[in-house]
C-alpha cells in the first residue's frame, strides 16, 4: 500500500515495468548470443578458441603465422602446378589479350593451384582480404585446414609474434607465374607466390619454384631464408628483362649502361627477382638489375618486392616511386629492382623518358631508325615528334650477349 499522500499512476507503473523488461531482455539476449558464438567457434565458456579473439573490426593476425601459411600455400600450389605439367594435360585456354596483344593464357595448373592456395589462406585467416590472379569459383570451395605449426626455420629467424590489425592486411596470390613458359615446358621460370601487405606496404614475400622445390621467403624487419649476393656490377650490369613483353627495355638498358651490358630475357617476375639473389639452384640465372617497362600486375611483383625490401633492396617504378599494394591490381609505371646498389642513382641514370605511367609510353613499336631510341614524348598513335631520338652505341649481336630463353 502506497504511503499517505502518494498516489501511484497506473500508466507510470506500466512504463516502469516495460523499461525493466527491456533491460532484462537486452542483458539476457546478449548472454545467449555470447553462448551461441562460443558454440559456433567450437569454444567453451571461460576457455579460448585457437588464435586471437575476434572483434568487430576483424581482430588481429600474427604475421609469423601468416608467413608459415603463405609458405605452405605456395608449396601446395606448386604441387598442383607440377602434377598438371607432368601429366601433360594442361587444358590450355586464353583469358583474352594482354595490353601487348599476346594471349593471356590459363591452364588447369593455374586453376588448381589457385584453389589450393586461396582456400588454405582463407580458412586460416578468414578476416583478411585476399587478391588472386585467377577467379575463385564458389562451387569449388573447399576447407583446407592448417595445423597451426610454425616451421623451425621461421621460428629461428622470427622469435616473437608480430601482431597487426586484420583489416590492414591484403594478401596477393600468384598461383602460377610464367604461364606462357609453363605451356612451352620451360619449367625453370615457373613459380608460385604469396605476398602479405600491411597498409599497402609489402611485408611478407614467398617465392616457390615447383620444379626444383626451392622456396625463398622473407619478412621485413623480421628474417629471411635467402640472402643477397656478395657483389653486384653497377657499371656494366647483367640486366634481366621480360622475354615476352620487354617493350623498349633492351634499348633503354643499352642506352643507359653501354654496349657491354648483358641482357638476359627471362620469363616470370618471381624468377627475375630470384636472379638478383644468392639462390642455390643451378638452373637460376644471375643478374644485377631487373627492369620492366610495361604494365604489370601486383600479384606478379608483390612477393619479390617484399623479399628485396627485407634484404635491404628496392623495387620501385621507373620514376623511383614506391608501389602501393592496395587499390587497383596493376601499375603503369614499369619497375626497377636492385639490391646493394644506389637505387635512386640508377633511377636518375635512366634515359630521359616520360615516366608518367601511361600505358602507351613503353609499348613495342617499330623504330624509326635502327640506331636510335625514341624519346617517347607523345603517345604512340601520334607517331614521333620530329627527330627526337637518343643515339645508341654501336651495338652488335656479340656485345648484347642475348641469353637464349
Amino acid at each position: 500500500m502506497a504511503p499517505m499522500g502518494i498516489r501511484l499512476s497506473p500508466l507510470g507503473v506500466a512504463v516502469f515495468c516495460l523499461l525493466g523488461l527491456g533491460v532484462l531482455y537486452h542483458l539476457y539476449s546478449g548472454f545467449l548470443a555470447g553462448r551461441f558464438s562460443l558454440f559456433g567457434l567450437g569454444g567453451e565458456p571461460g576457455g579460448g578458441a585457437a588464435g586471437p579473439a575476434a572483434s568487430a573490426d576483424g581482430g588481429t593476425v600474427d604475421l609469423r603465422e601468416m608467413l608459415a601459411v603463405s609458405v605452405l600455400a605456395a608449396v601446395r600450389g606448386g604441387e598442383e602446378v607440377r602434377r598438371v605439367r607432368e601429366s601433360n594435360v594442361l587444358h590450355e585456354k586464353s583469358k583474352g589479350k594482354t595490353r601487348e596483344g599476346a594471349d593471356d593464357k590459363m591452364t588447369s595448373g593455374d586453376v588448381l593451384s589457385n584453389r589450393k592456395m586461396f582456400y588454405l589462406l582463407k580458412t586460416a585467416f578468414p578476416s583478411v582480404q585476399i587478391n588472386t590472379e585467377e577467379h575463385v569459383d564458389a562451387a569449388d570451395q573447399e576447407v583446407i585446414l592448417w595445423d597451426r605449426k610454425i616451421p623451425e626455420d621461421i621460428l629461428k629467424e622470427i622469435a616473437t609474434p608480430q601482431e597487426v590489425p586484420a583489416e590492414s592486411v591484403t594478401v596477393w596470390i600468384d598461383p602460377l607465374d610464367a604461364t606462357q613458359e609453363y605451356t612451352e615446358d620451360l619449367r625453370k621460370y615457373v613459380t608460385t607466390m604469396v605476398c602479405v601487405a600491411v597498409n599497402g606496404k609489402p611485408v611478407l614475400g614467398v617465392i616457390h619454384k615447383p620444379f626444383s622445390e626451392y622456396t625463398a621467403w622473407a619478412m621485413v624487419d623480421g628474417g629471411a631464408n635467402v640472402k643477397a649476393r656478395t657483389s653486384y656490377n653497377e657499371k656494366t650490369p647483367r640486366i634481366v628483362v621480360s622475354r615476352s613483353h620487354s617493350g623498349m627495355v633492351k634499348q633503354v638498358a643499352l642506352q643507359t649502361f653501354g654496349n657491354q651490358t648483358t641482357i638476359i630475357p627471362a620469363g616470370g617476375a618471381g624468377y627475375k627477382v630470384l636472379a638478383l639473389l644468392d639462390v642455390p639452384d643451378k638452373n637460376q640465372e644471375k643478374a644485377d638489375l631487373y627492369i620492366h617497362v610495361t604494365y604489370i600486375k601486383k600479384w606478379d611483383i608483390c612477393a619479390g618486392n617484399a623479399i628485396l625490401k627485407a634484404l635491404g633492396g628496392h623495387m620501385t617504378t621507373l620514376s623511383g616511386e614506391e608501389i602501393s599494394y592496395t587499390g587497383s591490381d596493376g601499375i603503369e609505371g614499369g619497375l626497377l629492382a636492385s639490391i646493394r646498389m644506389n637505387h635512386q642513382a640508377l633511377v636518375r641514370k635512366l634515359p630521359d623518358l616520360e615516366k608518367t605511367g601511361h600505358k602507351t609510353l613503353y609499348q613495342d613499336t617499330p623504330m624509326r631508325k635502327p640506331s636510335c631510341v625514341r624519346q617517347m614524348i607523345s603517345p604512340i598513335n601520334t607517331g614521333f615528334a620530329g627527330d627526337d631520338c637518343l643515339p645508341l652505341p654501336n651495338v652488335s649481336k656479340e656485345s648484347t650477349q642475348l641469353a637464349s630463353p
Side-chain angles (χ1 to χ4, degrees), residues 74-94:
V75 171
R76 291 276 182 88
E79 290 170 355
E80 295 298 308
V81 167
R82 189 172 63 249
R83 182 177 61 80
V84 170
R85 179 64 267 184
E86 290 174 352
S87 74
N88 207 30
V89 183
L90 274 60
H91 298 293
E92 177 186 338
K93 63 180 180 181
S94 175

Side-chain angles (χ1 to χ4, degrees), residues 29 86 95 98 118 128 151 218 221 231 254 265 289 297 346 351 360 362 377 379:
S29 62
E86 290 174 352
K95 295 186 289 185
T98 67
F118 178 86
V128 304
D221 297 327
S231 64
L254 294 170
L289 290 175
K297 294 295 183 70
L346 291 169
T360 56
Y362 302 111
I377 62 174

Side-chain angles (χ1 to χ4, degrees), residues 241-243 246-256 261 263-265 293 373 392 400 402:
V241 305
S242 170
R243 68 185 287 271
S246 59
M248 298 295 295
V249 68
K250 294 177 185 177
Q251 293 92 331
V252 168
L254 294 170
Q255 167 66 24
T256 304
T261 301
I263 306 299
I264 306 171
V293 294
V373 175
L392 269 176
T400 59
L402 292 179

